[in-house]
Amino acid sequence: MARAGKVADGVANATLREPGRFFALSLDTFRALFKWPFQWQEFLQQAWFIVSVTVAPTIMVAIPFGAILSLQVGNLIRQLGAQSQTGATAVLAIVREASPIVTALLIAAAAGSAICADLGARKIREEIDAMEVLGINPLHRLVVPRVLACAFVGLFLNGIVSVVGIAGGYVFNVLLQGGTPGAYIASFSGLAQLSDLYQAEVKAVVFGVTAALVASYKGLTASGGPKGVGDAVNQTVVIAAMALFVENFVLSALYFQLVPQKGM
Amino acid sequence: MGVEIRVEGLTKSFGRQVIWEDVTLTLPAGEISVLLGPSGTGKSVFLKTMVGLLKPDRGHCWIDGKDMPNLRERDMYEVRKLFGVLFQDGALFGSMNLYDNIAFPLREHTRKSESEVRRIVLEKMEMVGLGGAQNKFPGEISGGMRKRAGLARALVLDPQIILCDEPDSGLDPVRTVLLNQLIVDLNAEIEATILIVTHDINTARTVPDNIGMLFRRELVMFGPREMLLSSEEPVVRQFLNARKVGPIGMSEEKDLSELEAEARLGRDPGPLPPIPPQLMTSDGRLRRTQHAPGEWLRTHGVTPPEGSFIDEMGRDWLQEWPKYVAEMSAGAGRHSEGAH
Ligand SMILES: Nc1ncnc2c1ncn2[C@@H]1O[C@H](COP(=O)(O)OP(=O)(O)OP(=O)(O)O)[C@@H](O)[C@H]1O
Ligand SMILES: [Mg+2]
């Protein structure tokens, strides 16, 4: 009986209370966004930090991503006798889908875990409490700059993934699979439109904001010493990744509904 | 001028664990109070509830006419500017060196020039004995040093309310006495209302004007120093005299068999030890709220134990007091004449 009560309590906590608190924090962060003065220094530091932990892995992931796509899709397309369309697959796969996803995963894993670990450590060392007692709102001071830095860096990461992925696909297709440069580029621009890039950038910003909010929430509610921080980091990566995939689906669906597509 | 703090019926629990219930007490403006209690009775939680970091289940904490736990966030930040808080582990910002840590409140809340900030910070660091450690990071110094740096940061804005969570834990006995002197001097100087959580019996016996004690989820007693030091209440008596005999055991409460065994052996906590005189300011100034030694005992018809109010040099303060006060006020009079 008592155990059933506990389980019900846990379920209520996981499904209602935690998301409720998360949205409360998101809302408060949004309000703190417009508070003066903006924390430029923290923002720049964080942006630089996020860049430093994400750029190298992003490139390392993007190159094989472009190559693998060329390989898989290129083979299939050749069998169908439409090898000249390989460039088009790069648009579909890399610009529209892969780059936001790769960006999302890297932001969740590299930036999210770092933000959560940083804030969690401050929380259990009572630095956050001390800050509040000194009359400083930690949402304004710490969370807002991190959320904006994540969104800002997400924008550029997304660009990097697109460029590097397409370049990787191009190199692989032209040099190794015997495709022609002209066909790659022609089919690319046959399908690509600028709104593809825009939607990917919108996604990247949304993912950056989400990952940073999840990480901040988990970090600021960490408890139970160093182990608690470890758990919070772990949950941040899992929850942020799941949230980003759901958002990706929703945003893609919206994009196809709202923006007319070019035909082939 | 200090601020009076009135706590009414404050209750706090975490989930099903009740920490303390119906705590009611008044910290008189400008006085020093000490909060005692066995480890884990929620003293730190009490301090955090007072500054609004933790939300109580019910109750009030009136500060300057505002009910701290029930304020809107914006107002809460405003009231917090009255506070200087020393956390149990110092709670320094790990990303800043000691200088920046201590300068932080000044840079945030005042428009002082950087040279003025520098003067104040160095003065406070000197005061807590950390001169020369400006460039050290919190991770590079000892626990006692972190405590003192945390205290310097708490004091840098000359707050009207000072809360110290175990300022003396991790300090050597000499530093503890010096720190106590510092707190008493500070209280005389800026007349702040001060609440200290401590496990140091000597501190608890000599520093405060008032003592309170938490035990078994409630405030057992709160009142003037002399009232608790002469109290026959078993918990208070055991704690303030650091005795083994009494209701407090290793796991907070002794179990029944232990108490029965104690009763069978007929162990008696023994007579009350003498009450020490209150620590005075180092330059002889009187505290604004100074009570004469033995005043409470006299007005409540309690005879102090043999040897009370005699200091280390053998002076009997029950006798010396009127002469001392006369001298002091004459001195103060001369002083103010000279100032005119
Ligand atoms: N954030 C929290 N969540 C759940 N329980 C907590 C929390 N903070 C404190 N507690 C519990 O409250 C009780 C009192 O803790 P607190 O730190 O106030 O004790 P304390 O009196 O300061 O002890 P000590 O003298 O050892 O510092 C403990 O049992 C602790 O487990
Ligand atoms: Mg404590």
Side-chain angles (χ1 to χ4, degrees):
Chain A
M1 202 51 219
R3 180 181 284 172
K6 237 182 190 161
V7 169
D9 218 37
V11 169
N13 212 19
T15 54
L16 295 174
R17 257 166 256 154
E18 284 253 359
R21 286 191 208 123
F22 171 73
F23 284 114
L25 174 120
S26 305
L27 226 79
D28 288 342
T29 305
F30 183 72
R31 265 190 298 170
L33 184 63
F34 302 103
K35 269 229 285 264
W36 193 85
F38 181 69
Q39 300 295 316
W40 279 107
Q41 200 188 344
E42 186 83 14
F43 170 77
L44 291 175
Q45 267 174 8
Q46 286 301 316
W48 177 244
F49 170 73
I50 296 171
V51 165
S52 70
V53 294
T54 50
V55 164
T58 302
I59 294 175
M60 302 305 277
V61 172
I63 293 174
F65 221 97
I68 280 279
L69 277 171
S70 287
L71 180 68
Q72 296 278 12
V73 184
N75 274 340
L76 190 68
I77 281 187
R78 192 160 44 204
Q79 283 169 26
L80 296 173
Q83 205 190 358
S84 59
Q85 291 298 325
T86 313
T89 63
V91 181
L92 284 176
I94 294 174
V95 177
R96 278 190 197 158
E97 291 305 328
S99 69
I101 286 288
V102 169
T103 311
L105 285 178
L106 278 153
I107 286 196
S113 62
I115 289 174
C116 177
D118 178 31
L119 294 183
R122 290 176 192 235
K123 172 71 188 174
I124 62 160
R125 281 202 306 256
E126 296 184 320
E127 279 186 37
I128 304 288
D129 288 348
M131 198 172 246
E132 284 190 40
V133 170
L134 288 172
I136 307 291
N137 182 349
L139 293 184
H140 175 242
R141 179 58 57 100
L142 300 174
V143 175
V144 166
R146 280 165 176 72
V147 169
L148 292 183
C150 248
F152 185 69
V153 174
L155 264 177
F156 291 103
L157 277 189
N158 181 64
I160 293 181
V161 178
S162 299
V163 171
V164 173
I166 291 170
Y170 176 86
V171 168
F172 199 81
N173 182 255
V174 173
L175 297 188
L176 300 179
Q177 289 181 318
T180 58
Y184 190 90
I185 289 168
S187 66
F188 179 90
S189 32
L191 198 59
Q193 46 186 351
L194 212 50
S195 57
D196 288 333
L197 183 65
Y198 293 154
Q199 68 102 27
E201 294 289 36
V202 168
K203 279 183 184 173
V205 168
V206 172
F207 295 166
V209 169
T210 309
L213 282 175
V214 170
S216 300
Y217 172 73
K218 278 290 165 192
L220 290 181
T221 53
S223 65
K227 183 177 178 306
V229 178
D231 292 345
V233 170
N234 178 281
Q235 289 170 11
T236 295
V237 175
V238 174
I239 294 174
M242 289 193 315
L244 300 192
F245 277 101
V246 171
E247 283 179 351
N248 186 40
F249 173 76
V250 172
L251 288 174
S252 291
L254 277 177
Y255 175 64
F256 283 119
Q257 287 301 316
L258 298 178
V259 181
Q261 303 298 308
K262 278 194 195 173
M264 272 208 257
Chain B
M1 251 301 286
V3 176
E4 182 188 78
I5 300 177
R6 219 149 31 85
V7 175
E8 284 172 2
L10 212 60
T11 300
K12 174 72 191 166
S13 55
F14 288 109
R16 300 207 178 112
Q17 182 196 10
V18 177
I19 307 296
W20 27 254
E21 256 173 314
D22 273 329
V23 174
T24 299
L25 57 83
T26 301
L27 304 180
E31 296 199 359
I32 303 178
S33 305
V34 153
L35 184 62
L36 300 170
S39 206
T41 41
K43 303 180 295 298
S44 301
V45 169
F46 184 71
L47 293 194
K48 285 185 189 168
T49 309
M50 277 178 65
V51 286
L53 288 171
L54 293 172
K55 195 145 179 52
D57 304 1
R58 57 178 182 276
H60 311 275
C61 174
W62 298 97
I63 297 167
D64 214 8
K66 304 199 181 69
D67 185 15
M68 197 63 180
N70 303 316
L71 284 182
R72 282 184 317 161
E73 193 161 340
R74 183 154 7 114
D75 301 330
M76 202 179 266
Y77 277 116
E78 211 45 50
V79 178
R80 279 185 188 145
K81 288 180 186 158
L82 297 174
F83 281 93
V85 181
L86 168 63
F87 285 85
Q88 191 158 353
D89 297 311
L92 298 170
F93 302 128
S95 56
M96 301 178 191
N97 64 21
L98 294 192
Y99 181 91
D100 290 333
N101 258 290
I102 297 168
F104 185 85
L106 288 171
R107 289 178 179 155
E108 289 299 328
H109 293 309
T110 68
R111 291 165 176 280
K112 293 194 184 339
S113 68
E114 202 51 34
S115 66
E116 217 170 332
V117 168
R118 185 168 184 79
R119 184 183 61 72
I120 298 174
V121 171
L122 293 183
E123 179 199 336
K124 297 288 183 212
M125 290 190 80
E126 203 60 52
M127 186 180 84
V128 297
L130 286 174
Q134 295 92 308
N135 296 324
K136 290 235 165 36
F137 280 83
E140 305 169 345
I141 58 177
S142 75
M145 289 167 84
R146 269 199 293 278
K147 266 284 160 63
R148 284 181 281 155
L151 185 64
R153 188 181 65 186
L155 298 182
V156 82
L157 285 178
D158 291 334
Q160 303 192 36
I161 304 168
I162 302 173
L163 308 181
C164 294
D165 200 346
E166 303 190 16
D168 43 23
S169 74
L171 287 190
D172 57 83
V174 178
R175 252 62 167 271
T176 304
V177 177
L178 292 176
L179 186 84
N180 287 344
Q181 188 67 66
L182 186 88
I183 291 175
V184 170
D185 288 349
L186 199 78
N187 173 255
E189 190 180 330
I190 63 177
E191 288 173 358
T193 307
I194 302 179
L195 179 61
I196 306 169
V197 168
T198 183
H199 287 303
D200 186 81
I201 289 307
N202 185 41
T203 304
R205 291 174 69 86
T206 59
V207 172
D209 299 297
N210 310 287
I211 306 178
M213 177 151 179
L214 283 173
F215 182 60
R216 283 190 194 155
R217 292 171 288 290
E218 60 175 13
L219 185 73
V220 183
M221 205 181 260
F222 182 88
R225 181 183 81 110
E226 290 172 7
M227 173 175 133
L228 272 89
L229 287 181
S230 61
S231 169
E232 297 285 343
E233 165 76 35
V235 192
V236 176
R237 198 166 166 187
Q238 180 190 8
F239 204 87
L240 276 170
N241 301 307
R243 297 290 170 82
K244 216 167 68 184
V245 182
I248 308 170
M250 201 52 167
S251 54
E252 175 150 13
E253 296 167 41
K254 284 184 179 165
D255 53 32
L256 229 53
S257 61
E258 274 179 293
L259 285 176
E260 272 169 13
E262 250 172 35
R264 258 201 315 282
L265 286 171
R267 286 211 280 180
D268 182 304
L272 273 177
I275 298 172
Q278 201 177 25
L279 189 62
M280 288 191 279
T281 54
S282 49
D283 56 3
R285 275 172 306 172
L286 298 177
R287 300 189 197 178
R288 196 182 60 93
T289 54
Q290 187 89 50
H291 308 275
E295 187 183 77
W296 186 88
L297 296 171
R298 222 172 19 253
T299 51
H300 289 76
V302 182
T303 325
E306 196 65 32
S308 292
F309 301 107
I310 295 179
D311 70 9
E312 299 156 338
M313 334 244 280
R315 282 176 299 193
D316 183 347
W317 280 98
L318 289 180
Q319 242 106 90
E320 299 265 339
W321 189 253
K323 212 167 72 197
Y324 177 76
V325 173
E327 245 172 58
M328 274 306 128
S329 34
R334 264 203 309 280
H335 192 78
S336 56
E337 268 166 38
H340 275 292

